[in-house]
Amino acid sequence: NLLEWARLQRGTYTFESNTFDLYDTAIETVSLFEDMANQKTILLTNDIQPNTIVVSDSRMLKTILRNFVNNAIKYTREKGRVHISSAVKDEYHIISVKDDGIGISPGDLEKLFCIDQTFSAPGTYQESGTGLGLILCGELSNKMGATIWAESEPDKGSTFYISVPWVESQS
């Protein structure tokens, strides 16, 4: 995260639009975090379908999705659930990562993507963080021209979203 953020600040991390299958990105992300989820007995699922074609920067979107899933697992209790999905709305895919974890207070929710207000809290196994991951996600989404947001309720979980342009499925 720190390296990617530094590249963004120096202007060497540029947006490169490409067309790719979001399903492959989701499967890759799930496989990266399976061990972490299994250690906490968390069910990590993906319902993004094959041939879900989007137009965006695949590197940036992978970074955002990895941060969303990492945080979801970090803040979900043992035997919880983390779910990756997408839905089409107008001309966008709304990609979401939902958990049934500890949630975030409304005051802290406002700080998540702001560079001038870092927020970090220990995970359910006292995992630490810098608060930089979601700031990076916010900056990457701006660079991509995407919209990023989160919804949460304390003790009920959180859902993190990003919207990216879509093209019709290629069957």
Side-chain angles (χ1 to χ4, degrees), residues 8-167:
L8 267 174
Q9 298 309 303
R10 289 192 333 244
T12 60
Y13 199 95
T14 57
F15 177 78
E16 295 176 14
S17 182
N18 49 34
T19 302
F20 60 97
D21 191 343
L22 184 60
Y23 172 79
D24 294 336
T25 301
I27 293 300
E28 180 182 322
T29 303
V30 167
S31 70
L32 281 171
F33 289 97
E34 274 181 326
D35 287 343
M36 185 178 173
N38 288 339
Q39 288 175 7
K40 292 175 80 172
T41 325
I42 292 172
L43 179 61
L44 176 58
T45 58
N46 163 49
D47 78 359
I48 296 175
Q49 298 301 304
N51 301 312
T52 302
I53 308 302
V54 297
V55 179
S56 190
D57 184 306
S58 59
R59 293 172 310 142
M60 291 183 182
L61 191 58
K62 285 178 183 181
T63 297
I64 291 168
L65 196 56
R66 282 193 312 261
N67 271 283
F68 283 0
V69 171
N70 181 60
N71 283 344
I73 293 169
K74 182 189 301 186
Y75 296 108
T76 297
R77 294 175 193 93
E78 195 170 282
K79 297 183 181 174
R81 295 176 183 260
V82 173
H83 185 69
I84 303 169
S85 63
S86 76
V88 174
K89 182 176 181 187
D90 300 322
E91 298 168 3
Y92 295 92
H93 265 291
I94 311 297
I95 304 159
S96 63
V97 176
K98 179 179 177 65
D99 66 60
D100 59 3
I102 61 175
I104 306 164
S105 72
D108 289 334
L109 196 59
E110 294 175 11
K111 301 174 189 175
L112 293 181
F113 304 107
C114 301
I115 194 162
D116 59 340
Q117 297 185 23
T118 56
F119 170 74
S120 183
T124 57
Y125 277 20
Q126 299 305 307
E127 304 98 323
S128 62
T130 62
L132 187 58
L134 291 177
I135 292 170
L136 173 65
C137 290
E139 293 208 14
L140 289 174
S141 69
N142 286 339
K143 195 95 164 158
M144 295 166 55
T147 304
I148 191 170
W149 72 99
E151 297 172 351
S152 187
E153 192 174 335
D155 294 321
K156 303 239 179 190
S158 304
T159 306
F160 285 79
Y161 302 92
I162 184 165
S163 66
V164 296
W166 72 283
V167 294

